[in-house]
């Protein structure tokens, strides 16, 4: 049985969210040991933010495929719009978090970076194991 784009993205999202929450727990506990409750919150927020923004990318890919069945420039426009919106929202969220007294910047950064790296590895593994035909004449 061949995989569809939706099943591959769903698998990547579920595994990414699971690993992301585990990383959030670890960075939160390390932050708790280093800086107390603000460190715990910073680690958890970093991982959860990253999981949410990675989900936006997957939704953008699915939306571009569904909205423009024939592909082409419309699919790229939808995908680029999703990425641009995600970038703007991410910058605004980081600017707002920067002014909060309870944020420990190093722990927040560690949570974000660890979750992004883990997500990239998971995406590569899921896509590498996917059974997607290279021809539409199967």
């Amino acid at each position: 049985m061949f995989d569809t784009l939706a099943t591959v993205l769903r698998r990547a999202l579920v595994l990414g969210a699971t690993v992301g929450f585990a990383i959030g727990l670890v960075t939160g506990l390390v932050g708790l040991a280093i800086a107390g409750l603000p460190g715990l919150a910073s680690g958890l927020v970093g991982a959860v933010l990253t999981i949410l923004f990675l989900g936006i990318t997957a939704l953008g890919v699915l939306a571009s495929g569904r909205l423009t069945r024939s592909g082409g420039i419309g699919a790229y426009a939808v995908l680029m719009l999703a990425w641009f919106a995600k970038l703007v929202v991410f910058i605004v969220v980081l600017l707002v978090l920067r002014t909060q007294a309870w944020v420990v910047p190093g722990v927040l950064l560690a949570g974000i970076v660890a979750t992004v790296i883990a997500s990239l590895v998971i995406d590569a593994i899921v896509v590498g194991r996917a059974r997607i035909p290279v021809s539409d004449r199967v």
Side-chain angles (χ1 to χ4, degrees):
M1 177 67 67
F2 290 113
D3 292 322
T4 64
L5 179 62
T7 60
V8 171
L9 286 174
R10 188 176 312 114
R11 196 174 306 134
L13 279 174
V14 169
L15 287 173
T18 303
V19 171
F21 284 120
I23 289 172
L25 182 63
V26 170
T27 56
L29 291 175
V30 169
L32 181 65
I34 293 172
L37 288 177
L40 172 66
S42 297
L44 293 174
V45 166
V48 169
L49 276 176
T50 306
I51 292 167
L52 290 176
F53 285 113
L54 292 171
I56 292 171
T57 299
L59 290 175
V61 170
L62 285 174
S64 69
R66 291 184 196 268
L67 292 176
T68 57
R69 295 269 181 215
S70 61
I73 195 140
Y76 292 118
V78 171
L79 190 57
M80 290 305 294
L81 180 64
W83 284 344
F84 182 71
K86 180 175 71 168
L87 176 67
V88 169
V89 171
F90 188 71
I91 290 171
V92 168
V93 167
L94 286 182
L95 288 174
V96 168
L97 285 176
R98 183 178 68 166
T99 63
Q100 301 301 314
W102 56 268
V103 173
V104 180
V107 177
L108 180 69
L109 178 66
I112 291 171
V113 169
T115 308
V116 167
I117 290 172
S119 174
L120 291 173
V121 170
I122 287 170
D123 289 348
I125 291 170
V126 168
V127 170
R129 291 184 180 171
R131 296 179 39 97
I132 300 175
V134 293
S135 172
D136 59 354
R137 297 182 182 181
V138 175

